[in-house]
Every structure is written in structure tokens, then in C-alpha cells.
Amino acid sequence: MDKLCTSPADAISDLPDGASIAVSGFGPSAGAPFSLLAALDERGTRDLCLVGNTIPPGAQTLVEAGRVRHLIVSFTARAGGSSPAEELIRKGEVTFELVPQGTLVERLRAAGAGLAALYTPTGLDTPIADGKEVRYFDGKPYLLETALPVDYAFIAGHRADRLGNVEFRGANQHFGPSFAKAAQVAIVEVDEVVEPGEIPAERIGLPGIFVARVVRKTVVSALPKHGPARRDHDVPRTYNGKPGWTRRQMAELAASLLPEGSYVNLGLGIPSYLSSYAGDRHLILHGENGILGYGEIVPDERRYPDVFNASGYPVTPSPGISYFDSVTAFEMVRGGRVDVVVLGAYQVDAEGSFANWQTDGMVGGGIGGAMDLVASGRTVMVMMEHRDSRDRPKVVQRCSYALTGKACVDILVTDLAQFRRKDGGLTVEQVAPGFTKQEVLALTGIDAATGMPTTAENP
């Protein structure tokens, strides 16, 4: 049984117009099957349905060429931004379904397991729940989500043998296994093909029974493998002519608020700074891309191939680090084993609801894994600047953007203050040096008539 194909074009030679394809990839290009996507571009196949977390650059070309009719993704664009896909959706030339990341992999896993559907707490009280069945188990509500089978899966691995057994490297497993299992035809492109038995059995991340075809990688992307170099935002913003906390100071404060020895998931943006202070608190860091026990962000990803966090930044592998797929990563979260999730946001309101995936003018958005993360019922911390780039308050009476989670924020850290949710409202516990709590509250959008309890020691 030899599953090795002579070329990417050979591997997709039977792929018809109208096919559904699950395409792996995390961040800008990690784990994206560029060779298979290039072959698909040359083939000229049309009327496609693409399934994935984001739309990798190779797939973006297909979207822009008008060869994709439907998208099932966690990101059509990053919140606050736009993309060619967003523009085509706005024009009605492409339809889409936005799916939380953990729900996406679980729907694909269910299809591969021969299950018709699943119930999940993810997405309750958000637009994702619109029109879906809600059922209660043990007094708790869950959404019905249907399984998501696909015709083909394009995934990338490190090594494979001719029987189709695949080895992944580092944190680059993420969507590969669930996408492959959901497909009638799973095609894997790899750096190296070896003979059966050369990959140690315990290092096989995807057994060959789930893989139809293997092909050697022929296209190496010129894009950065992980996230772009993080800009240093350690220059504080000023309010009333005075500096607030820098992002690093915010991260140091946030780390000090977390229980020693906690398992902590860090989201995109400002929360990623917290990894620099995790060691001092003995925090074990978790990423939904499939990594547990990483350390600080490093400037040169070549030191640690395929070791990156959920923001896409290369990180140090701490002693005891482990890697797994995204299904397992979200089992850790929804199962309540991750103690704290730390997320960025565009708005947090007086009752502790927050919004971080869609802003004004967007038709889609960037849900990512945030809804799954807050569905765990564990501690939720939000880190964000106190006011946005247009000098509008981000701490508001009620969120005007689509919700990520309702009444779930336990701790809020801005560059001016630290809040905690108590008795259904936000309480100020401390403020940045040089500011009074009255100044801080005046810079929020909380209704003065409603008021906000304050316990800050600062006057």
C-alpha cells in the first residue's frame, strides 16, 4: 500500500469543481499546505467551499480569483480590519459561516468519528447562537452544532511514510488530525517521506488509516512562518497629560493577580506580554494551537522550530512542554482544566460582558478561540487600553459590538486601572500612579447615574 504521489498536481488530479476542502494553517503560514494550494490554483477548479481557521495566503488567491463560493472559517478578517474575503462577502459574491475555533475542530472531529452532531456551551448569548437549537443538560444550556464532513483535506506535516503515517513537529499539529479525519480524501504534504518503520510509532500524530495520499512539499512560502515581529508598545499612552501603565507594566500587574501554579491561556495582543512574567509566578501557559508549558517570546524562531504560541510568536519550550492537536487543546479549556484565560477586547461593559471579534462595518470578523475559552466557566481576565485609537471609552455601560461572552469577565486590567467584577458590576481595585479613581471613572463610558463601586486605595 503505497500512498506516495509523484507531485501535488497528481495528488489532486481527481478534485472536481464544487468540492469542499478543509485547509490547515495557523497564523500567517504555520502548517499551511502551500504546495497543494499552488497546485489547486494551477488546476483552475471553481465553485469551492473552503473550511479552515483563517484563509491562508494560497487560499486567499483562490478567493480573490472568484473561485470560492462559500467559506466556513473562524476568521474572515481580524477584528478592526478588512480583507479581500470581507469585500467579496459584502458584495454578495461569497457566502460564509463564522465558527468558533474549538467548535470548528469539534465539528470536523465529529464527522470523522461518525457522529451527526454535538452540543457545546460555546457561543451562548452571542450572534453565533442565532437560529440554533438550545438544549439543557443538568440545568445548563448547550448549543446544537452539526458535524462538518468535507470532500478533501489539505494538511501539512513534518514527515510521513508511504503508508500515510504522519509525524508533526512541535506545535504545528493544530488542525491537521481533525481536518484529515473529516475528509473523504485527506492529502498530506510533508518535508520528508520515509519508509515504513522509520518514524517511531509513538511519534505518529496521525495514523495512515486517515490519510489517502502523501506528497513531498514543493513550494516553500516566503511568508514568515509565524507571526510578524511584535512591535514594542512599552511607551505608555497619556491621559489628561499623564502616562498610564505600559503594556509590560500591565502584564506584570496581571501576572501578580493570578494564583501561583495556574494553567493560563494567553490570547492575542496585550495578553501575550504576560508570558515574560509567567516564570516568576510559576504559571503554566496554554495555547489553543496545541502547546502547554511554553515560556517567553523569542526574536528568532529558528532556535526552536515550530514552537509558537496562539499569537503566532516563537516562544521558548519550558521543561515539561507538550504538544497536541487543537481538539485536545479545547478539551482542556471546555473541560475546566485551564484555570484562567486572558484575552484582549474592544469593549467591556458594566456587567462584565465583553466584545473582541467584530467592529463597526465588518460583515464577518475574527472569532478565533475566544468564545470557547470563556465557555469554560473558569476565571476570565481581559487586558486592553482604557480608550481606543479614536479616544472613545472601551469600558462602557453596554457593549455596542457583538458579544464574545456575557457577564463573564472576572478581572479587567487597562492601562489606567484594575477592576474586578463583584455583585454584578465592575469594582475599581487600583489605579495607575498619578491618577485618582474619579479621573479613571470619568474616562470610562459607564453611566454616571448608575455609578460604579470603587474600593481603590487611591483617593
Side-chain angles (χ1 to χ4, degrees):
M1 183 183 293
D2 192 340
K3 298 183 179 181
L4 179 62
C5 296
T6 58
S7 68
D10 176 37
I12 66 165
S13 61
D14 60 350
L15 196 153
D17 289 349
S20 57
I21 311 171
V23 181
S24 69
F26 203 101
S29 66
F34 285 102
S35 305
L36 292 168
L37 289 170
L40 183 60
D41 187 25
E42 289 184 13
R43 183 173 172 78
T45 315
R46 308 186 66 83
D47 197 32
L48 297 169
C49 170
L50 294 186
V51 179
N53 179 43
T54 57
I55 308 169
Q60 193 72 259
T61 302
L62 301 171
V63 174
E64 293 180 48
R67 291 162 54 191
V68 175
R69 61 176 167 80
H70 189 61
L71 293 167
I72 303 175
V73 292
S74 297
F75 292 86
T76 58
R78 297 287 179 180
S82 188
S83 69
E86 279 263 320
E87 295 306 313
L88 291 170
I89 291 168
R90 186 173 287 107
K91 294 175 182 177
E93 297 177 16
V94 174
T95 57
F96 78 103
E97 180 185 357
L98 210 56
V99 185
Q101 198 177 90
T103 298
L104 180 71
V105 293
E106 202 63 32
R107 289 176 64 189
L108 285 145
R109 185 207 62 79
L115 304 177
L118 58 106
Y119 283 99
T120 176
T122 299
L124 290 165
D125 300 311
T126 77
I128 295 302
D130 292 348
K132 293 178 182 175
E133 177 189 329
V134 177
R135 186 170 176 182
Y136 284 77
F137 296 90
D138 295 327
K140 297 179 181 179
Y142 294 82
L143 290 182
L144 176 69
E145 295 281 3
T146 57
L148 183 54
V150 292
D151 300 321
Y152 290 79
F154 291 0
I155 67 174
H158 177 50
R159 292 198 300 172
D161 64 26
R162 292 175 179 271
L163 296 177
N165 296 306
V166 181
E167 176 188 359
F168 299 97
R169 184 170 65 180
N172 224 358
Q173 184 174 169
H174 40 78
F175 307 112
S178 60
F179 283 17
K181 292 172 185 178
Q184 293 183 32
V185 178
I187 310 173
V188 184
E189 68 172 69
V190 291
D191 302 316
E192 181 184 2
V193 177
V194 299
E195 295 303 319
E198 290 190 45
I199 302 174
E202 64 274 12
R203 291 172 64 177
I204 292 173
L206 180 64
I209 194 170
F210 294 112
V211 177
R213 299 164 194 167
V214 172
V215 66
R216 290 184 179 87
K217 181 184 296 184
T218 58
V219 175
V220 178
S221 171
L223 294 169
K225 195 167 189 179
H226 306 301
R230 186 179 63 178
R231 294 179 298 162
D232 193 344
H233 287 279
D234 215 29
V235 177
R237 290 185 62 177
T238 59
Y239 300 89
N240 299 336
K242 296 176 289 188
W245 283 314
T246 66
R247 293 190 171 197
R248 295 187 184 280
Q249 288 171 328
M250 291 169 64
E252 187 173 14
L253 168 61
S256 74
L257 299 172
L258 301 180
E260 193 87 4
S262 300
Y263 291 102
V264 181
N265 177 283
L266 301 182
L268 308 181
I270 298 176
S272 67
Y273 283 79
L274 200 148
S275 64
S276 296
Y277 303 93
D280 295 339
R281 298 287 300 162
H282 303 292
L283 306 174
I284 302 172
L285 302 183
H286 168 277
E288 55 267 37
N289 55 314
I291 186 170
L292 182 68
Y294 67 87
E296 291 189 69
I297 293 171
V298 292
D300 184 359
E301 70 272 21
R302 289 172 297 181
R303 290 181 60 198
Y304 308 107
D306 295 314
V307 182
F308 56 97
N309 63 16
S311 295
Y313 296 125
V315 291
T316 56
S318 300
I321 194 169
S322 58
Y323 309 108
F324 34 87
D325 74 342
S326 288
V327 169
T328 303
F330 284 107
E331 287 173 344
M332 295 173 181
V333 170
R334 287 192 307 270
R337 289 173 171 81
V338 174
D339 300 299
V340 184
V341 298
V342 187
L343 298 166
Y346 286 97
Q347 291 178 331
V348 174
D349 70 20
E351 69 173 6
S353 298
F354 82 109
N356 76 346
W357 64 272
Q358 187 184 64
T359 52
D360 291 335
M362 299 187 75
V363 291
I367 290 180
M371 288 186 186
D372 299 277
L373 293 168
V374 302
S376 67
R378 305 306 296 268
T379 299
V380 175
M381 174 187 286
V382 166
M383 298 177 67
M384 66 182 191
E385 291 179 326
H386 204 79
R387 296 176 74 87
D388 68 16
S389 59
R390 294 164 61 181
D391 199 33
R392 298 174 300 183
K394 297 178 70 171
V395 185
V396 296
Q397 187 66 31
R398 285 289 178 269
C399 291
S400 59
Y401 296 148
L403 290 185
T404 303
K406 185 174 176 62
C408 62
V409 176
D410 299 292
I411 302 169
L412 169 62
V413 175
T414 76
D415 52 353
L416 286 185
Q418 180 250 312
F419 304 80
R420 194 176 298 270
R421 183 163 59 101
K422 295 179 180 178
D423 302 321
L426 293 178
T427 296
V428 180
E429 292 197 329
Q430 57 180 310
V431 299
F435 290 86
T436 66
K437 59 190 176 187
Q438 287 78 15
E439 281 183 285
V440 168
L441 295 179
L443 291 165
T444 72
I446 300 294
D447 187 349
T450 303
M452 178 186 288
T454 59
T455 59
E457 293 180 3
N458 310 58

